Amino acid sequence: MCGIAGTVCLSEECELDHRAVVSHMCDVLHHRGPDDEGVARLDGACLGSKRLAILDLSEAGRMPMTSPDGRWTLTYNGEIYNFREIRSELVDAGHRFFSGSDTEVLLHAWMEWGEECYERLVGMFAFAIHDADEGTVTLVRDRYGIKPLYYAIRDDHLFFASETKAISAIHGATMDAHALLEWSLYRNVDALTAGTLFSEVSSVLPGERVLIEDGELERRALHVQPEDVSEEAFGRYLKAPTLEVVEELSELLDDAVEARLVADVPVGTLLSGGLDSSLVTAIAARRHGKFKAFHVSVPGYARMDESSHAERVASHLGIDLVKHEFTAEEFRRELPRVIYHSDMPITHPNTVAYYAIARVAREHGVTVLQSGEGADELFGGYRWAYRRRRLLLRINPLLELLPRKVRNILALVTYSMVGLPTTSWRFRELLPQSVDLVDRYTRRAWLARCEEAYDFVEKPLDRAILGAILADLNDFLAPLLRRLDRTTMAHSVECRVPFLDHRLVHMANQLPLSYRLGARADKWILKRVAHPHLPKEIIERPKRGFPLPVAEFIEPLLTEELFLEGYLRRELGIRWLGISSQLERGRRGEVDAFGFLTLELWGRIFVRGESVEELTDRLAETAA
């Protein structure tokens, strides 16, 4: 696990000091890999790495790593969990190995199979590989975008890095106003399209490779979610005995968790007390024996504090639980630094709590964690999204039967309730078009493509919900994976996500809807898998979603003084009426003010260049 960075010349004439530039980018990424640093100056390129040693802690695992014949050089961020199996196959093919690292296995797999090795890889990864014979550099990212990779073209060079801040450290950052508008609507920008909040900086998309050759870029998808869906497999699960399907999923999850326990450093889990993290913890405890689980509690807020559930799971499993009491003061103190590490205005307030518990894990000597992220997107865990969508699809035809005047009255009431100008209700037909134009119909087109993948499903409602669940794996999940990567790697902690083992995801994508949204339970099949592992009250308790009393946490920060000469007003030109109304809503307990606050802090850090320390002191003074 590492931070990677590099440069590629796009013209023959070059005066850039590549080594100095890449070293500087690596310094920005020091938090991602404090154990070692390497920079390799190559013909027409330079690759760098900040290493977090997880497998083979010796110098034999140092990066960038070059092949024995000198042709290939690799810099790599991630883990290949089946590296031992691939290594055995490569040994049979005549390859020799000098380390116990998965980095060397990935390098030799590329030497043997080229891009085709991608299908063999079980893991999370982002890497760059230089081919000295062809003069090319190839950037590759894992199927679901668990590990990040960005690039920018400036001054006849391509710069790439694990985080955008490492690229902007070279040439500064210019905000992309259209991307910011898209973020304000969807709270996400770089999942379905390559654009980011920074002009000229692009993301390598999940499942994509970018080839840089002769000064040109060629992008190609190595993995596309809808193409995973198989009518034959779907039909098999439709006819198979339920117990057989449950057992197959159980075996896949067992294997996924066990594979992610492989490390030469201590391993633990994030344990919220909910179904997903509890199940991962239970399987890990059975396979690994003694290890620590980490939990965030919110003292003083009984309705939100899940510590009693986490304690129940830990007691049931006989494992150690490290509980961290998260306070409003800590939330406000760490908020600027979490935004800095996120590179974006943070969408989920609990991002700050993830950052805190990753620090606690590192303080307890744990370098690798496992998380239950991804289970909700795979198995229909968002009742508010999927069951509500099904309900709306059912009642829409009935609404069309109502007289037009009645529908107009309903539209008028709806506009009024959400704060839209009631004078514009006659133009409601234009609102969906305006929303879709913000992202140029990207999300609508993606949803349609995911629904089309299930064309063979007889029931239109089932087809629509299955498509929505599949679409969320690339859209809704993206900021959650960004949250997990940035908050843990900020403390040099690697977090693994067994639910996103691509073999498990492939099975889940073939499951009929009844296995996900059961008659009475969301994630029905996952709850069946959990029965041998967890107490009944943990399996059946309602989903909580890691809530925080965010309105109370941020209320002391919602002052006119903080925003009066701030980024929102001066750089974005937002009228004071809009700012003051948002502040007032926040003081009344409306949580949407959180997005306003984090956008202000993001702009101060990344556009104005204010330091994290300066902002931290400013917030402390404001809250005092």
Side-chain angles (χ1 to χ4, degrees), residues 29-273:
L29 300 174
H30 178 76
H31 53 279
R32 298 187 70 94
D35 297 329
D36 193 12
E37 177 180 346
V39 176
R41 180 69 171 97
L42 307 162
D43 185 21
C46 188
L47 308 184
S49 166
K50 293 290 291 186
R51 185 187 179 201
L52 177 61
I54 302 293
L55 293 167
D56 190 345
L57 310 186
S58 73
E59 290 190 2
R62 170 170 284 182
M63 290 185 286
M65 186 177 287
T66 300
S67 62
D69 62 1
R71 175 177 178 179
W72 307 96
T73 301
L74 170 73
T75 186
Y76 155 58
N77 169 30
E79 298 291 345
I80 307 301
Y81 303 117
N82 63 333
F83 75 98
R84 290 194 177 105
E85 292 87 342
I86 296 175
R87 175 178 173 145
S88 178
E89 188 176 356
L90 289 167
V91 168
D92 290 343
H95 291 256
R96 294 181 62 201
F97 291 87
F98 302 93
S99 77
S101 72
D102 60 329
T103 305
E104 189 178 16
V105 172
L106 176 59
L107 175 62
H108 283 255
W110 190 276
M111 291 164 56
E112 180 70 20
W113 300 299
E115 285 182 14
E116 293 181 5
C117 77
Y118 190 88
E119 292 302 318
R120 287 176 158 85
L121 304 179
V122 177
M124 55 182 185
F125 47 84
F127 62 86
I129 190 160
H130 176 263
D131 181 348
D133 287 1
E134 299 294 333
T136 63
V137 172
T138 305
L139 309 179
V140 180
R141 194 174 177 202
D142 65 63
R143 298 166 180 86
Y144 312 113
I146 305 170
K147 292 289 103 183
L149 188 56
Y150 299 91
Y151 64 91
I153 297 175
R154 291 172 178 166
D155 302 330
D156 290 327
H157 286 83
L158 181 140
F159 303 86
F160 68 86
S162 295
E163 297 178 9
T164 58
K165 67 174 68 67
I167 297 174
S168 62
I170 304 303
H171 286 287
T174 304
M175 181 195 68
D176 186 322
H178 185 92
L180 185 61
L181 178 63
E182 184 179 342
W183 173 88
S184 71
L185 180 62
Y186 295 107
R187 295 301 191 264
N188 189 31
V189 293
D190 60 358
L192 301 178
T193 58
T196 69
L197 288 183
F198 302 110
S199 300
E200 301 177 351
V201 179
S202 300
S203 171
V204 178
L205 292 175
E208 185 180 56
R209 77 99 168 99
V210 177
L211 175 67
I212 304 105
E213 183 176 21
D214 297 329
E216 301 292 330
L217 268 68
E218 178 190 276
R219 302 175 59 179
R220 186 167 81 85
L222 301 178
H223 176 82
V224 182
Q225 287 276 48
E227 295 176 3
D228 255 358
V229 178
S230 162
E231 181 177 0
E232 179 182 353
F234 189 94
R236 180 171 68 84
Y237 288 123
L238 198 60
K239 297 174 183 177
T242 299
L243 182 60
E244 182 181 303
V245 179
V246 172
E247 288 177 348
E248 182 179 341
L249 178 60
S250 181
E251 290 174 5
L252 283 172
L253 183 57
D254 278 2
D255 290 346
V257 172
E258 183 177 15
R260 285 157 182 80
L261 291 171
V262 175
D264 294 329
V265 293
V267 179
T269 64
L270 295 175
L271 176 59
S272 69

Side-chain angles (χ1 to χ4, degrees), residues 441-488:
Y441 283 78
T442 298
R443 284 168 177 80
R444 185 177 287 254
W446 176 247
L447 179 59
R449 185 176 181 183
C450 289
E451 288 183 11
E452 289 169 4
Y454 292 98
D455 270 348
F456 52 83
V457 176
E458 293 183 6
K459 297 180 180 179
L461 285 177
D462 284 11
R463 192 161 58 240
I465 304 304
L466 287 168
I469 292 173
L470 183 63
D472 277 346
L473 273 174
N474 275 71
D475 186 7
F476 190 83
L477 184 59
L480 305 183
L481 294 176
R482 182 188 301 112
R483 173 185 66 184
L484 201 62
D485 174 80
R486 303 307 195 278
T487 55
T488 55

Side-chain angles (χ1 to χ4, degrees), residues 350-387:
N350 58 27
T351 304
V352 189
Y354 274 91
Y355 177 84
I357 200 63
R359 183 192 68 241
V360 172
R362 186 71 185 197
E363 290 170 351
H364 280 77
V366 172
T367 311
V368 173
L369 293 169
Q370 290 204 39
S371 162
E373 204 72 80
D376 286 317
E377 289 76 13
L378 286 176
F379 300 106
Y382 299 124
R383 174 179 291 267
W384 53 267
Y386 306 127
R387 289 191 183 271

Side-chain angles (χ1 to χ4, degrees), residues 541-554:
R541 76 182 189 87
K543 179 179 174 59
R544 297 288 289 275
F546 200 171
L548 292 176
V550 61
E552 295 181 38
F553 280 11
I554 68 172

Side-chain angles (χ1 to χ4, degrees), residues 6-24:
T7 59
V8 183
C9 290
L10 301 180
S11 66
E12 293 184 1
E13 297 182 4
C14 179
E15 298 181 357
L16 184 70
D17 186 344
H18 287 259
R19 182 176 290 275
V21 167
V22 173
S23 292
H24 182 49

Side-chain angles (χ1 to χ4, degrees), residues 272 295-307 324-332 334-335 338 346-357 483 487 544-555 589-592 594:
S272 69
H295 174 78
V296 175
S297 70
V298 192
Y301 297 90
R303 184 176 57 85
M304 299 181 181
D305 193 351
E306 298 184 281
S307 57
H324 176 66
E325 294 188 347
F326 189 65
T327 65
E329 291 74 20
E330 183 178 10
F331 179 90
R332 292 190 288 265
E334 302 291 11
L335 183 58
V338 173
I346 59 177
T347 304
H348 302 87
N350 58 27
T351 304
V352 189
Y354 274 91
Y355 177 84
I357 200 63
R483 173 185 66 184
T487 55
R544 297 288 289 275
F546 200 171
L548 292 176
V550 61
E552 295 181 38
F553 280 11
I554 68 172
E555 193 275 335
E590 301 288 341
V591 297
D592 53 358
F594 176 74

